[in-house]
Amino acid sequence: MTSPPRPDDAHPYLRAASAGIRHHTRTLAPSDGDLPQPGDRVHLDALHAHLTALLQLLDRLAGRTRPSHPAAGRHLATAHTHLWQVTSEVHAAFHLLPGTPQADAEPGACRPERLPEGPPVLTICQRHLSAGHTVRRKTTPTDLRPHTTTCVR
């Protein structure tokens, strides 16, 4: 008979991802006398990839939780919606940072109808469109508007 994993061993990969983010956050802190460097497209692309993976995780958690605990499932679904809004803002910020300019593109433009200038733009736009299709199948435009929730315990 196997025993359930201890709480500290239950989700090692998720804990490792969180530790990696904490480590990266510390490395971005300016050292004494250094001016803080602005974010770049590489950082935002990696962050966007992480956020879209979290979207998938929250979606599955909400789907598995909702049947037996509807209120908790609704909160997870709301968290999913808010995380999508964050993911969209990171995607928009990515396009506003300087990168390889296209001759006829306006700054900050995401053009899903044609191929972007290549990696990482191609990958972030494809990832964002794919995540957007999933989000829009499960939410309404009203759900996607910014709103606040209160914690009910």
Side-chain angles (χ1 to χ4, degrees):
M1 172 160 62
T2 61
S3 60
R6 294 186 346 237
D8 60 339
D9 290 339
H11 306 286
Y13 295 114
L14 191 55
R15 281 195 331 279
S18 297
I21 290 173
R22 284 190 303 272
H23 172 75
H24 191 70
T25 300
R26 285 190 302 271
T27 63
L28 287 176
S31 53
D32 293 334
D34 289 344
L35 293 174
Q37 296 296 314
D40 60 24
R41 284 181 156 196
V42 174
H43 282 107
L44 292 186
D45 181 48
L47 180 59
H48 189 271
H50 188 77
L51 290 171
T52 55
L54 283 173
L55 277 168
Q56 292 175 350
L57 178 60
L58 267 175
D59 185 42
R60 291 199 179 134
L61 282 171
R64 292 178 72 175
T65 303
R66 189 175 281 143
S68 56
H69 303 285
R74 282 192 303 274
H75 277 284
L76 290 172
T78 299
H80 182 268
T81 300
H82 288 300
L83 185 59
W84 168 249
Q85 292 165 340
V86 169
T87 305
S88 292
E89 294 301 325
V90 169
H91 178 251
F94 175 92
H95 285 291
L96 293 174
L97 289 174
T100 308
Q102 287 182 329
D104 60 337
E106 63 186 75
C110 179
R111 310 262 184 183
E113 71 278 2
R114 53 175 225 219
L115 292 176
E117 68 247 27
V121 177
L122 181 61
T123 53
I124 193 172
C125 290
Q126 287 176 332
R127 186 185 321 117
H128 196 70
L129 288 171
S130 176
H133 288 298
T134 302
V135 168
R136 286 181 178 87
R137 274 188 300 213
K138 297 183 177 198
T139 56
T140 67
T142 303
D143 292 334
L144 295 175
R145 282 193 303 219
H147 62 283
T148 58
T149 59
T150 56
C151 182
V152 179
R153 294 182 195 225

